[in-house]
Amino acid sequence: MATFALYAAAVAEIAGCFAFWAWLKLDRSPLWLLPGLCSLAAFAWLLTRIEADFAGRAYAAYGGVYIAASLLWLWAVEKQMPDRWDLTGTAVCLGGAAIILFGPRSA
């Protein structure tokens, strides 16, 4: 559940922020803000579904996943292919997120 919640939260946040971007930067209708706000609310809810003992740890792990999802958005929605440096950075971030989320904890 934790991994799914991380990716779902990332997609919800990116979609919500993109709606604001489209309105402000791409001259889209202000009606784009309504699904954007709903998407951002879904992001906040999904982030609470992450199975972590502390919010800060969940947010830190989410950061790596957010980077990966952002580059997927770049490729799928904005039609811009990530380069090798984007992919290398993403691999490093996902590795760090996995360590934070799944690392053994002392009592």
Side-chain angles (χ1 to χ4, degrees), residues 3-20:
T3 303
F4 172 77
L6 282 170
Y7 279 101
V11 170
E13 182 181 13
I14 293 165
C17 290
F18 184 78
F20 278 78

Side-chain angles (χ1 to χ4, degrees), residues 24-106:
L24 287 171
K25 299 276 191 172
L26 303 177
D27 289 328
R28 297 298 199 281
S29 164
L31 293 176
W32 276 67
L33 299 176
L34 295 175
L37 289 169
C38 291
S39 187
L40 290 171
F43 151 70
W45 180 79
L46 285 163
L47 203 53
T48 66
R49 305 293 94 190
I50 297 170
E51 297 169 14
D53 293 335
F54 299 97
R57 195 167 284 139
Y59 301 155
Y62 167 74
V65 173
Y66 179 83
I67 290 168
S70 296
L71 291 176
L72 287 172
W73 184 276
L74 174 74
W75 181 38
V77 176
E78 298 184 63
K79 308 299 186 216
Q80 177 66 42
M81 178 69 87
D83 63 24
R84 66 181 174 179
W85 298 110
D86 295 327
L87 299 176
T88 301
T90 298
V92 170
C93 292
L94 286 175
I99 291 168
I100 291 168
L101 194 59
F102 302 120
R105 305 280 176 230
S106 60

